Amino acid sequence: MGVFTWWAEGSEKLGLGELEKLFKEEYPNDTFVKLAVAGGAGSNAKARLEADLNNNNPPDSFQGHAGAELFDYIQAGQLQPVNDVIEGLGGSAVFPQDLLDLITVDGNIYSVPSNVHRSNMVWVNPAVLEKAGLGKEAPADLDAWIADMEKLKAAGVETPLAVATAPWTQLHLFESVLLSELGADQYNALFTDGDWNAPEVKAAAEKFGTLLSYANTGGADDWPAATDMVIDGRAAYNVMGDWAVAQFASRDIAEADYAYSPTPGTDGTFLFLADSFTLPVGAKNPDGAKDWLNLVGSAEGQQAFNIAKGSIPARTDVPASAFPTYQQSAMESFTNDTIASSITHGAAVETAWSADITTAVSRFASDRNVDGFVSALATAAQANR
Ligand code: GAL
């Protein structure tokens, strides 16, 4: 039974390892084949998966994001419904209805959610902040944050903000900046009928450019290396999804030695994404795949996996007390905050649209042409809505 993910290295591999261990214990007659392709956010895995699906050689289950990304696979006829699995697991009594809606088309449910991640988080090294006399409390908005970065520079901190060269990590930063400038309602409307030419989008583009001017231009290929810059004191901040907390944990960093907060200006909004697992059409071992889906969706599986992964359970009946401090705060925020959808991680827009946005972000990261960037974003919306 082959399971395809991009959780191939570091703390992500440890998270998947928890599920693998439980699967082997609970289903000793199944074999588990790990088909993992490294690269954060599926940056390499998705192309490989597409080729395998197009060649009628699907894995028995693969990782897909709840929301627009999953609808791509459903519309392409690549997934089988798994209503029976979800029902058996407890259905809407244990999974939030809003989340089920993101994986349902015409009454059919097409995946089993394993976890919920938060995108709009800044990971902070307080010892680096101290060099500029800055305390732990988070700046209220982007302008205050930029002012702090200026102080860090003046105090001799070469790289206030760590950013990786992988284009998705730059989009990841940009979606937080966009949310901060627009607020949740205007941000969410961008994916339906909102105006990408609005002055707030231009302001976000300008601030994104300013933030990049405080960032490293190389030296970190993907998110683990950028988060490590913060862990190792080579940068003060990294905006990254909360899988980053698992990186701190896997490197045995004590909770007292790092800090985190929502990206400045986004407090009160949970920028959402969720991983889920599928049953592809043509899976060679559908029974094994269903065993896997049952484990992924079980309370026991969700507890073990999410503690290691930095995420929170998709199920609502897993005790918060079993989790580290960060995840407890994320659970509270997920329950009480406004929800916005991540662009980078498949929740807000389908793959073609996010690819166009990524291209625009990458171009902007090198040419810093604000008007060109905003017009490329508006064109992408027009082409993909
Ligand atoms: C996201 C995924 C997360 C994490 C992250 C970094 O797309 O949903 O679980 O793996 O990429 O690779």
Side-chain angles (χ1 to χ4, degrees):
M1 198 276 308
V3 174
F4 185 92
T5 72
W6 54 86
W7 297 330
E9 287 169 355
S11 53
E12 303 197 308
K13 185 178 170 190
L14 296 177
L16 180 61
E18 291 293 324
L19 285 175
E20 191 180 336
K21 196 174 84 198
L22 282 176
F23 184 77
K24 287 178 178 162
E25 275 166 29
E26 286 178 27
Y27 300 97
N29 297 327
D30 287 336
T31 47
F32 181 90
V33 182
K34 187 162 66 180
L35 306 166
V37 174
S43 44
N44 304 318
K46 285 185 190 170
R48 171 65 195 279
L49 177 65
E50 198 185 329
D52 286 350
L53 293 176
N54 290 337
N55 292 329
N56 293 322
N57 185 29
D60 293 304
S61 184
F62 66 83
Q63 171 189 3
H65 288 121
E69 182 184 302
L70 200 78
F71 295 146
D72 271 348
Y73 296 118
I74 299 169
Q75 270 150 17
Q78 291 165 326
L79 299 183
Q80 304 185 41
V82 292
N83 300 43
D84 53 338
V85 178
I86 291 283
E87 281 314 310
L89 288 164
S92 58
V94 299
F95 292 105
Q97 189 57 48
D98 289 353
L99 180 55
L100 291 179
D101 290 347
L102 289 177
I103 55 177
T104 302
V105 170
D106 293 337
N108 282 324
I109 302 175
Y110 284 93
S111 66
V112 175
S114 51
N115 61 295
V116 169
H117 269 303
R118 186 177 193 182
S119 160
N120 58 320
M121 292 300 295
V122 188
W123 305 93
V124 184
N125 186 322
V128 177
L129 296 190
E130 265 169 35
K131 292 183 190 166
L134 297 172
K136 269 193 191 177
E137 86 264 20
D141 55 22
L142 292 176
D143 290 333
W145 195 31
I146 289 166
D148 284 355
M149 294 207 197
E150 190 54 40
K151 287 184 195 148
L152 285 160
K153 271 270 182 200
V157 174
E158 205 178 306
T159 306
L161 179 66
V163 180
T165 46
W168 76 265
T169 60
Q170 298 168 9
L171 174 57
H172 189 104
L173 171 62
F174 179 60
E175 69 179 26
S176 254
V177 172
L178 204 51
L179 174 64
S180 182
E181 280 300 294
L182 274 66
D185 290 347
Q186 196 184 348
Y187 171 92
N188 280 334
L190 288 177
F191 314 116
T192 52
D193 57 357
D195 181 10
W196 284 85
N197 283 306
E200 292 83 358
V201 175
K202 185 167 179 183
E206 274 158 2
K207 286 183 189 171
F208 178 50
T210 306
L211 289 171
L212 289 178
S213 73
Y214 291 99
N216 51 309
T217 49
D221 56 346
D222 206 338
W223 79 266
T227 302
D228 279 346
M229 289 181 71
V230 173
I231 294 177
D232 297 332
R234 289 177 284 125
Y237 310 107
N238 175 227
V239 173
M240 193 36 63
D242 50 12
W243 44 90
V245 80
Q247 180 82 355
F248 283 86
S250 75
R251 294 205 41 203
D252 286 330
I253 310 298
E255 279 186 4
D257 291 336
Y258 64 99
Y260 46 79
S261 50
T263 308
T266 70
D267 200 6
T269 301
F270 189 105
L271 189 48
F272 154 95
L273 64 125
D275 295 296
S276 67
F277 281 86
T278 60
L279 176 59
V281 169
K284 290 176 198 66
N285 185 354
D287 293 338
K290 286 199 173 178
D291 290 343
W292 166 252
L293 295 177
N294 272 308
L295 174 74
V296 164
S298 69
E300 188 195 15
Q302 301 227 333
Q303 179 167 325
F305 172 67
N306 287 295
I307 288 174
K309 184 66 166 58
S311 37
I312 59 175
R315 291 178 69 113
T316 51
D317 60 348
V318 184
S321 58
F323 284 81
T325 322
Y326 169 72
Q327 278 108 315
Q328 293 195 15
S329 69
M331 286 180 202
E332 238 182 81
S333 157
F334 187 56
T335 309
N336 300 321
D337 286 3
T338 305
I339 305 295
S341 302
S342 167
I343 303 170
T344 318
H345 306 283
V349 297
E350 63 273 21
T351 308
W353 191 350
S354 78
D356 286 353
I357 298 175
T358 307
T359 304
V361 167
S362 291
R363 190 168 311 140
F364 178 69
S366 63
D367 72 12
R368 305 293 161 92
N369 176 342
V370 169
D371 290 336
F373 183 31
V374 173
S375 110
L377 292 172
T379 306
Q382 224 166 22
N384 291 287
R385 261 181 186 155

